[in-house]
Amino acid sequence: MELLRKRFALDLQTFAIITLVLGNLAQAFSDVLVKLIGPGFSPFQYMVLRQLLTLLVLLPFMLRVPRAAWGLGAWKWHLLRGHLCLLGGGGMMLALTQLPLATANAIFYVSPLLTLPLAAWLLKEKIHSRVWLLGGIGLLGVVFVLKPGDFHLAGLGALVTAFTLALFNVTGRKLPAGISVVATLFWANLLALPLTAGLAVNQWQPVDWRLLALIGGSAVMQLLYHASCIYAYRQVEANRIAATEYSGLMFVVLLGIWLFGEIPVWNLWVGMGFILLAIHWQRRLS
């Protein structure tokens, strides 16, 4: 990455922003691939296959991680975080296959608003009193995005995904210093695999190469997104590049219009406005 930055003569902040934009584009395509799977496929079977394919991708990198950076002593936290990924991944698939791309992603964006209250509760961190107001503004945005009359299981799945993602980020603070990022992703997927397989076995459906390609592609795109975030936020202070994450919502709106004919209506724009305003205000307070 550093050689690439120097070749194009880019400063750290500009290169970090470009990296995040590309990472968000990869995440948007990951959502498209999940949506193409369709609503009839079992979320648990999807998660089993995604975990297996993710482990296959991570294994060569994991073998190169020094044993001291494996973080085996924190196995309980790896176990918890892995099952959070299971719950959130299932909710994500449910939301993406039954809701418009932009609608599902707008609800996913509530996650940053939930992170600070969870940190105050679980880590006893002190947060600004206005954070609670911002959380209310974000939830108001969700009400606009998912009109109360249209609220159903897919909308609940999106909210579960946002909550588990926030909890996943907060519990990351419990991991020991020096642990490899590859190791955290590897253990989370591996330790959740037995329960995922047990839940999927009674709903197992035939799998063809098309489904494997969609699930594998989605897993790789998500890993690219995580890698872009890790690189960018290690190079530059978060408050200088965090707004770049909004590009992900722009990408899913455009891809939804282009690939699925999902034209956003007024309530989606209003809801996204409330959510993004609350996130932006929260980051200024931070």
Side-chain angles (χ1 to χ4, degrees):
M1 294 291 282
E2 195 61 24
L3 291 175
L4 196 61
R5 182 182 73 83
K6 290 179 179 178
R7 180 176 179 180
F8 289 98
L10 297 172
D11 61 86
L12 273 177
Q13 183 173 351
T14 301
F15 191 69
I17 288 173
I18 293 173
T19 303
L20 265 186
V21 169
L22 293 176
N24 276 276
L25 180 60
Q27 179 62 49
F29 275 111
S30 172
D31 291 348
V32 168
L33 294 175
V34 173
K35 190 172 185 66
L36 289 173
I37 294 172
F41 197 69
S42 165
F44 296 122
Q45 185 176 352
Y46 160 76
M47 285 303 300
V48 167
L49 295 172
R50 195 184 85 173
Q51 287 169 346
L52 287 171
L53 292 169
T54 300
L55 289 170
L56 285 175
V57 173
L58 290 175
L59 184 59
F61 301 98
M62 184 65 180
L63 294 176
R64 300 177 61 181
V65 174
R67 186 65 63 90
W70 280 17
L72 289 173
W75 67 269
K76 291 182 180 179
W77 291 109
H78 294 310
L79 185 68
L80 172 62
R81 286 159 59 82
H83 287 85
L84 288 173
C85 288
L86 165 60
L87 186 59
M92 179 197 69
M93 186 197 173
L94 191 64
L96 288 173
T97 54
Q98 298 190 32
L99 295 173
L101 276 178
T103 300
N105 274 270
I107 302 171
F108 297 160
Y109 266 68
V110 176
S111 176
L113 298 174
L114 300 175
T115 300
L116 286 182
L118 284 172
W121 175 41
L122 297 174
L123 305 178
K124 309 304 180 185
E125 292 184 0
K126 293 183 179 180
I127 63 173
H128 200 289
S129 59
R130 292 180 186 173
V131 167
W132 304 107
L133 173 62
L134 299 183
I137 294 173
L139 290 177
L140 180 61
V142 172
V143 171
F144 273 99
V145 169
L146 265 186
K147 293 177 291 187
D150 295 336
F151 192 86
H152 46 74
L153 190 58
L156 180 61
L159 285 173
V160 167
T161 299
F163 179 79
T164 54
L165 180 58
L167 199 54
F168 184 86
N169 291 334
V170 170
T171 53
R173 296 281 299 277
K174 294 290 188 178
L175 296 176
I179 186 173
S180 165
V181 174
V182 171
T184 64
L185 295 172
F186 185 85
W187 295 128
N189 281 277
L190 182 64
L191 293 175
L193 189 57
L195 178 59
T196 315
L199 292 170
V201 66
N202 290 329
Q203 303 175 5
W204 199 264
Q205 304 170 34
V207 178
D208 55 24
W209 286 106
R210 174 185 172 274
L211 276 173
L212 284 177
L214 291 174
I215 297 170
S218 173
V220 170
M221 291 294 177
Q222 285 193 341
L223 287 174
L224 289 175
Y225 169 69
H226 289 310
S228 73
C229 289
I230 292 165
Y231 174 81
Y233 286 109
R234 280 182 175 177
Q235 300 299 318
V236 182
E237 292 87 347
N239 58 19
R240 295 169 60 189
I241 60 174
T244 307
E245 297 270 17
Y246 298 160
S247 63
L249 203 48
M250 177 191 70
F251 287 138
V252 294
V253 169
L254 295 176
L255 288 172
I257 295 172
W258 177 37
L259 297 174
F260 304 104
E262 298 172 348
I263 308 300
V265 292
W266 69 270
N267 64 292
L268 177 61
W269 294 116
V270 173
M272 286 195 302
F274 274 116
I275 293 168
L276 294 180
L277 175 64
I279 294 172
H280 180 69
W281 192 3
Q282 184 190 75
R283 284 172 172 161
R284 287 181 65 86
L285 289 177
S286 300

